[in-house]
Every structure is written in structure tokens, then in C-alpha cells.
Amino acid sequence: MIIHIFDSQQELNQTGAGIITALIQTKPNAVLGLATGGTPVGIYEELVKNYNLGRVSFSHVKSFNLDEYVGLPEDHPESYRSYMNHHLFDHVDIQKDQTHVPNGNAADVDAECEEYDARMADVGQVDLQILGIGHNGHIGFNEPDRELTAGTHQVELKAETRQANARYFPSMDDVPTHAITMGVGSIMKAKSIILIVRGADKAEIVKRALYGPITTDCPASLLQTHPNLIVLVDKEAGRALVE
């Protein structure tokens, strides 16, 4: 585990984008595991800048997103497909048919989950997986529980997770109740993982995830067992790590 604590958001964003850019420069057909939410936005902005400066091409890159809401139309502004188009895909030369986001409107969600895992298996292995962390320690939408699922699956979102995402919707009633998510097994198969965390409200869960007991009550704690974990945190999120 390598931990970097940054004094500024710009430094964090540039470092995260630099790691991804360097990977693609050395392996143009890299497979990226992508995340959504507020946490990676600045990194995606830096990747777009690097592309516009001619430092990187995404033309042979494949991507797989962690998750998607169930029942939200693909073109809904808060769908994760819309998010990825808005923040990254529409601004670089990636081939859209090589970008994969779970289909939250599939007639058979269980079959969609199996097909998503099969598509990931076809590419061999994700080279770099981007992750955030929820206030309860979830990664993707793998919520704390007595046991966790290895493969892609449908989950019912916990109240605290829906509340955290409510800021993106007109009201709580509009926040989806279910999502499709990669399982912890799928996440842990990646060659490298970047965990990105921002804000003082995440300080305690970051410490618990990285230095607490490894338990399904804190799914992010399983990352302690990954052989190539890079942690990028701002000074507020990392304050409990240096106490």
C-alpha cells in the first residue's frame, strides 16, 4: 500500500491523472475500471487536458464502470452513463463501443450481471481500477453486510447511501433504490487500484479501511489485501492517518 496525502486538490487531481496517463502511454490498449460521483471529477478533467495537449490517446482503451442505477433511463442526467459521457467520454477519442457501463434497464438484471462479468473476463484483467469510498466503507455499491458478493450483482441501496446521493436529485423520492455493481471479487482482480478520498467527513472511515480490521462490515478494508493499492487523499481526508 502506498499512501499520498496532498495539500491541494489540484495536486491530487494531477497525480491521479498522471498515473492513468502514464499507464496508457506505456500500454495504449489498457483496460480501465472507472468510478463516478464527485470524487474523480477533477481527475477526469485533468485527463481531458492531457488529451487536448496531445499527451495521451484513448483510441485503444477499454473501460468498465463500477456500477449503474437500476431503472434510471440511460440518458437521464444522473445515470452513470450520462456522467461518464459528460465528464470524460465525450471529450476524448475513446471508442464508445469499448466503454462498458452496466445496463440498469435490462429486462433480466441477473442475466445482465452475468454478461457484464463475461465481458470483463474476455479482456483478461483490468489494468487500473479507480475507487472512491462511502461514509459506511462501501466500494462500488458493495454495502456493509455479514457477507459480500464476488461478482457483479444487483443491490438494494442502504438509506445512508441514498441520502449521500440525494444531492444529485430533486428529492429523496427520486433517488433510485437499487443498483448494479461490480462485486468485491471483480474489483480485487484489477492489477492496480487507486483509492481516491476527499474531505474531513471521510477521515475516520479512511483510517478504518486502511488500518482497521479486515471485515465485511467495512468492505473497503478488503483493499488492505491487494498487492498494488495506491491511496490518494487530501489533507482533510488523511488527517486521521497522521495523528
Side-chain angles (χ1 to χ4, degrees), residues 15-25 32 34 43-44 47 56 58 128 130 194:
T15 299
I19 293 170
I20 299 166
T21 297
L23 168 64
I24 299 171
Q25 287 171 338
L32 302 180
L34 301 178
I43 289 175
Y44 294 150
L47 285 174
V56 64
F58 294 80
L128 180 63
I130 300 171
I194 299 179

PDB file of all heavy atoms in Angstrom, residues 15-25 32 34 43-44 47 56 58 128 130 194:
ATOM      1  N   THR A  15      -1.890  14.235  -9.955  1.00  0.00           N
ATOM      2  CA  THR A  15      -1.204  12.969  -9.677  1.00  0.00           C
ATOM      3  C   THR A  15      -2.040  11.785 -10.153  1.00  0.00           C
ATOM      4  O   THR A  15      -1.528  10.866 -10.800  1.00  0.00           O
ATOM      5  CB  THR A  15      -0.901  12.836  -8.177  1.00  0.00           C
ATOM      6  OG1 THR A  15      -0.042  13.908  -7.769  1.00  0.00           O
ATOM      7  CG2 THR A  15      -0.239  11.499  -7.874  1.00  0.00           C
ATOM      8  N   GLY A  16      -3.328  11.803  -9.837  1.00  0.00           N
ATOM      9  CA  GLY A  16      -4.198  10.722 -10.280  1.00  0.00           C
ATOM     10  C   GLY A  16      -4.230  10.609 -11.794  1.00  0.00           C
ATOM     11  O   GLY A  16      -4.102   9.511 -12.357  1.00  0.00           O
ATOM     12  N   ALA A  17      -4.399  11.749 -12.463  1.00  0.00           N
ATOM     13  CA  ALA A  17      -4.422  11.749 -13.932  1.00  0.00           C
ATOM     14  C   ALA A  17      -3.074  11.339 -14.496  1.00  0.00           C
ATOM     15  O   ALA A  17      -3.005  10.671 -15.540  1.00  0.00           O
ATOM     16  CB  ALA A  17      -4.817  13.128 -14.448  1.00  0.00           C
ATOM     17  N   GLY A  18      -2.008  11.717 -13.815  1.00  0.00           N
ATOM     18  CA  GLY A  18      -0.670  11.346 -14.277  1.00  0.00           C
ATOM     19  C   GLY A  18      -0.437   9.852 -14.244  1.00  0.00           C
ATOM     20  O   GLY A  18       0.180   9.283 -15.157  1.00  0.00           O
ATOM     21  N   ILE A  19      -0.948   9.192 -13.209  1.00  0.00           N
ATOM     22  CA  ILE A  19      -0.814   7.734 -13.115  1.00  0.00           C
ATOM     23  C   ILE A  19      -1.548   7.063 -14.269  1.00  0.00           C
ATOM     24  O   ILE A  19      -1.024   6.138 -14.917  1.00  0.00           O
ATOM     25  CB  ILE A  19      -1.348   7.235 -11.762  1.00  0.00           C
ATOM     26  CG1 ILE A  19      -0.459   7.730 -10.620  1.00  0.00           C
ATOM     27  CG2 ILE A  19      -1.430   5.706 -11.745  1.00  0.00           C
ATOM     28  CD1 ILE A  19      -1.039   7.495  -9.234  1.00  0.00           C
ATOM     29  N   ILE A  20      -2.750   7.527 -14.548  1.00  0.00           N
ATOM     30  CA  ILE A  20      -3.556   6.933 -15.627  1.00  0.00           C
ATOM     31  C   ILE A  20      -2.935   7.233 -16.980  1.00  0.00           C
ATOM     32  O   ILE A  20      -2.848   6.351 -17.849  1.00  0.00           O
ATOM     33  CB  ILE A  20      -5.003   7.462 -15.551  1.00  0.00           C
ATOM     34  CG1 ILE A  20      -5.631   7.060 -14.213  1.00  0.00           C
ATOM     35  CG2 ILE A  20      -5.834   6.924 -16.711  1.00  0.00           C
ATOM     36  CD1 ILE A  20      -6.905   7.798 -13.886  1.00  0.00           C
ATOM     37  N   THR A  21      -2.490   8.466 -17.167  1.00  0.00           N
ATOM     38  CA  THR A  21      -1.854   8.856 -18.438  1.00  0.00           C
ATOM     39  C   THR A  21      -0.619   8.022 -18.697  1.00  0.00           C
ATOM     40  O   THR A  21      -0.399   7.529 -19.810  1.00  0.00           O
ATOM     41  CB  THR A  21      -1.507  10.349 -18.417  1.00  0.00           C
ATOM     42  OG1 THR A  21      -2.714  11.120 -18.315  1.00  0.00           O
ATOM     43  CG2 THR A  21      -0.767  10.761 -19.681  1.00  0.00           C
ATOM     44  N   ALA A  22       0.208   7.837 -17.671  1.00  0.00           N
ATOM     45  CA  ALA A  22       1.442   7.059 -17.827  1.00  0.00           C
ATOM     46  C   ALA A  22       1.135   5.614 -18.189  1.00  0.00           C
ATOM     47  O   ALA A  22       1.833   5.001 -19.013  1.00  0.00           O
ATOM     48  CB  ALA A  22       2.265   7.132 -16.543  1.00  0.00           C
ATOM     49  N   LEU A  23       0.089   5.057 -17.586  1.00  0.00           N
ATOM     50  CA  LEU A  23      -0.306   3.689 -17.917  1.00  0.00           C
ATOM     51  C   LEU A  23      -0.667   3.576 -19.393  1.00  0.00           C
ATOM     52  O   LEU A  23      -0.199   2.660 -20.089  1.00  0.00           O
ATOM     53  CB  LEU A  23      -1.498   3.263 -17.060  1.00  0.00           C
ATOM     54  CG  LEU A  23      -2.204   1.974 -17.491  1.00  0.00           C
ATOM     55  CD1 LEU A  23      -1.276   0.774 -17.360  1.00  0.00           C
ATOM     56  CD2 LEU A  23      -3.485   1.762 -16.677  1.00  0.00           C
ATOM     57  N   ILE A  24      -1.488   4.513 -19.889  1.00  0.00           N
ATOM     58  CA  ILE A  24      -1.936   4.442 -21.277  1.00  0.00           C
ATOM     59  C   ILE A  24      -0.784   4.707 -22.236  1.00  0.00           C
ATOM     60  O   ILE A  24      -0.713   4.112 -23.323  1.00  0.00           O
ATOM     61  CB  ILE A  24      -3.090   5.429 -21.524  1.00  0.00           C
ATOM     62  CG1 ILE A  24      -4.280   5.075 -20.625  1.00  0.00           C
ATOM     63  CG2 ILE A  24      -3.535   5.413 -22.987  1.00  0.00           C
ATOM     64  CD1 ILE A  24      -5.389   6.110 -20.622  1.00  0.00           C
ATOM     65  N   GLN A  25       0.145   5.567 -21.847  1.00  0.00           N
ATOM     66  CA  GLN A  25       1.313   5.821 -22.691  1.00  0.00           C
ATOM     67  C   GLN A  25       2.150   4.555 -22.875  1.00  0.00           C
ATOM     68  O   GLN A  25       2.679   4.306 -23.960  1.00  0.00           O
ATOM     69  CB  GLN A  25       2.165   6.939 -22.081  1.00  0.00           C
ATOM     70  CG  GLN A  25       1.552   8.321 -22.202  1.00  0.00           C
ATOM     71  CD  GLN A  25       2.312   9.358 -21.403  1.00  0.00           C
ATOM     72  OE1 GLN A  25       3.041   9.028 -20.457  1.00  0.00           O
ATOM     73  NE2 GLN A  25       2.152  10.625 -21.749  1.00  0.00           N
ATOM     74  N   LEU A  32      -9.346   0.158 -18.246  1.00  0.00           N
ATOM     75  CA  LEU A  32      -9.562   0.985 -17.062  1.00  0.00           C
ATOM     76  C   LEU A  32     -10.867   0.614 -16.376  1.00  0.00           C
ATOM     77  O   LEU A  32     -11.897   0.424 -17.027  1.00  0.00           O
ATOM     78  CB  LEU A  32      -9.619   2.469 -17.454  1.00  0.00           C
ATOM     79  CG  LEU A  32      -8.404   3.049 -18.169  1.00  0.00           C
ATOM     80  CD1 LEU A  32      -8.648   4.525 -18.489  1.00  0.00           C
ATOM     81  CD2 LEU A  32      -7.143   2.885 -17.333  1.00  0.00           C
ATOM     82  N   LEU A  34     -13.556   2.305 -14.062  1.00  0.00           N
ATOM     83  CA  LEU A  34     -13.883   3.701 -13.784  1.00  0.00           C
ATOM     84  C   LEU A  34     -14.969   3.842 -12.725  1.00  0.00           C
ATOM     85  O   LEU A  34     -15.836   2.987 -12.583  1.00  0.00           O
ATOM     86  CB  LEU A  34     -14.322   4.401 -15.075  1.00  0.00           C
ATOM     87  CG  LEU A  34     -13.277   4.386 -16.198  1.00  0.00           C
ATOM     88  CD1 LEU A  34     -13.833   5.056 -17.451  1.00  0.00           C
ATOM     89  CD2 LEU A  34     -11.986   5.074 -15.752  1.00  0.00           C
ATOM     90  N   ILE A  43     -10.004  14.494 -11.572  1.00  0.00           N
ATOM     91  CA  ILE A  43      -9.048  13.644 -12.272  1.00  0.00           C
ATOM     92  C   ILE A  43      -9.459  13.489 -13.730  1.00  0.00           C
ATOM     93  O   ILE A  43      -8.613  13.548 -14.633  1.00  0.00           O
ATOM     94  CB  ILE A  43      -8.919  12.289 -11.560  1.00  0.00           C
ATOM     95  CG1 ILE A  43      -8.192  12.483 -10.228  1.00  0.00           C
ATOM     96  CG2 ILE A  43      -8.197  11.257 -12.442  1.00  0.00           C
ATOM     97  CD1 ILE A  43      -8.106  11.256  -9.375  1.00  0.00           C
ATOM     98  N   TYR A  44     -10.754  13.306 -13.975  1.00  0.00           N
ATOM     99  CA  TYR A  44     -11.214  13.229 -15.359  1.00  0.00           C
ATOM    100  C   TYR A  44     -10.955  14.540 -16.101  1.00  0.00           C
ATOM    101  O   TYR A  44     -10.580  14.532 -17.285  1.00  0.00           O
ATOM    102  CB  TYR A  44     -12.698  12.874 -15.404  1.00  0.00           C
ATOM    103  CG  TYR A  44     -13.016  11.480 -14.892  1.00  0.00           C
ATOM    104  CD1 TYR A  44     -14.234  11.205 -14.283  1.00  0.00           C
ATOM    105  CD2 TYR A  44     -12.100  10.440 -15.020  1.00  0.00           C
ATOM    106  CE1 TYR A  44     -14.525   9.929 -13.820  1.00  0.00           C
ATOM    107  CE2 TYR A  44     -12.382   9.176 -14.554  1.00  0.00           C
ATOM    108  CZ  TYR A  44     -13.599   8.924 -13.944  1.00  0.00           C
ATOM    109  OH  TYR A  44     -13.875   7.651 -13.482  1.00  0.00           O
ATOM    110  N   LEU A  47      -7.425  14.490 -17.136  1.00  0.00           N
ATOM    111  CA  LEU A  47      -7.218  13.568 -18.257  1.00  0.00           C
ATOM    112  C   LEU A  47      -7.621  14.211 -19.577  1.00  0.00           C
ATOM    113  O   LEU A  47      -6.937  14.046 -20.601  1.00  0.00           O
ATOM    114  CB  LEU A  47      -8.017  12.286 -18.039  1.00  0.00           C
ATOM    115  CG  LEU A  47      -7.467  11.293 -17.013  1.00  0.00           C
ATOM    116  CD1 LEU A  47      -8.441  10.144 -16.815  1.00  0.00           C
ATOM    117  CD2 LEU A  47      -6.098  10.765 -17.423  1.00  0.00           C
ATOM    118  N   VAL A  56      -1.800  12.011 -24.502  1.00  0.00           N
ATOM    119  CA  VAL A  56      -2.365  10.672 -24.384  1.00  0.00           C
ATOM    120  C   VAL A  56      -3.506  10.513 -25.379  1.00  0.00           C
ATOM    121  O   VAL A  56      -4.208  11.477 -25.699  1.00  0.00           O
ATOM    122  CB  VAL A  56      -2.869  10.428 -22.935  1.00  0.00           C
ATOM    123  CG1 VAL A  56      -4.017  11.364 -22.586  1.00  0.00           C
ATOM    124  CG2 VAL A  56      -3.254   8.978 -22.715  1.00  0.00           C
ATOM    125  N   PHE A  58      -6.845   7.854 -26.124  1.00  0.00           N
ATOM    126  CA  PHE A  58      -7.692   6.802 -25.572  1.00  0.00           C
ATOM    127  C   PHE A  58      -8.257   5.901 -26.664  1.00  0.00           C
ATOM    128  O   PHE A  58      -9.160   5.102 -26.399  1.00  0.00           O
ATOM    129  CB  PHE A  58      -8.848   7.428 -24.792  1.00  0.00           C
ATOM    130  CG  PHE A  58      -8.438   8.172 -23.551  1.00  0.00           C
ATOM    131  CD1 PHE A  58      -7.926   9.461 -23.635  1.00  0.00           C
ATOM    132  CD2 PHE A  58      -8.541   7.593 -22.302  1.00  0.00           C
ATOM    133  CE1 PHE A  58      -7.547  10.160 -22.503  1.00  0.00           C
ATOM    134  CE2 PHE A  58      -8.168   8.275 -21.162  1.00  0.00           C
ATOM    135  CZ  PHE A  58      -7.665   9.568 -21.266  1.00  0.00           C
ATOM    136  N   LEU A 128      -6.141  -0.991 -14.255  1.00  0.00           N
ATOM    137  CA  LEU A 128      -6.189   0.002 -13.181  1.00  0.00           C
ATOM    138  C   LEU A 128      -7.636   0.296 -12.826  1.00  0.00           C
ATOM    139  O   LEU A 128      -8.420   0.698 -13.684  1.00  0.00           O
ATOM    140  CB  LEU A 128      -5.493   1.296 -13.630  1.00  0.00           C
ATOM    141  CG  LEU A 128      -5.448   2.444 -12.620  1.00  0.00           C
ATOM    142  CD1 LEU A 128      -4.643   2.039 -11.393  1.00  0.00           C
ATOM    143  CD2 LEU A 128      -4.848   3.693 -13.248  1.00  0.00           C
ATOM    144  N   ILE A 130     -10.214   2.538 -10.554  1.00  0.00           N
ATOM    145  CA  ILE A 130     -10.401   3.744  -9.750  1.00  0.00           C
ATOM    146  C   ILE A 130     -11.540   3.491  -8.767  1.00  0.00           C
ATOM    147  O   ILE A 130     -12.600   2.992  -9.141  1.00  0.00           O
ATOM    148  CB  ILE A 130     -10.731   4.954 -10.638  1.00  0.00           C
ATOM    149  CG1 ILE A 130      -9.593   5.217 -11.625  1.00  0.00           C
ATOM    150  CG2 ILE A 130     -11.002   6.194  -9.789  1.00  0.00           C
ATOM    151  CD1 ILE A 130      -9.930   6.261 -12.675  1.00  0.00           C
ATOM    152  N   ILE A 194      -6.485   2.445  -7.521  1.00  0.00           N
ATOM    153  CA  ILE A 194      -6.299   3.772  -6.940  1.00  0.00           C
ATOM    154  C   ILE A 194      -7.536   4.086  -6.113  1.00  0.00           C
ATOM    155  O   ILE A 194      -8.637   4.141  -6.642  1.00  0.00           O
ATOM    156  CB  ILE A 194      -6.111   4.865  -8.008  1.00  0.00           C
ATOM    157  CG1 ILE A 194      -4.874   4.602  -8.860  1.00  0.00           C
ATOM    158  CG2 ILE A 194      -5.998   6.234  -7.344  1.00  0.00           C
ATOM    159  CD1 ILE A 194      -4.668   5.671  -9.946  1.00  0.00           C
TER     160      ILE A 194
END
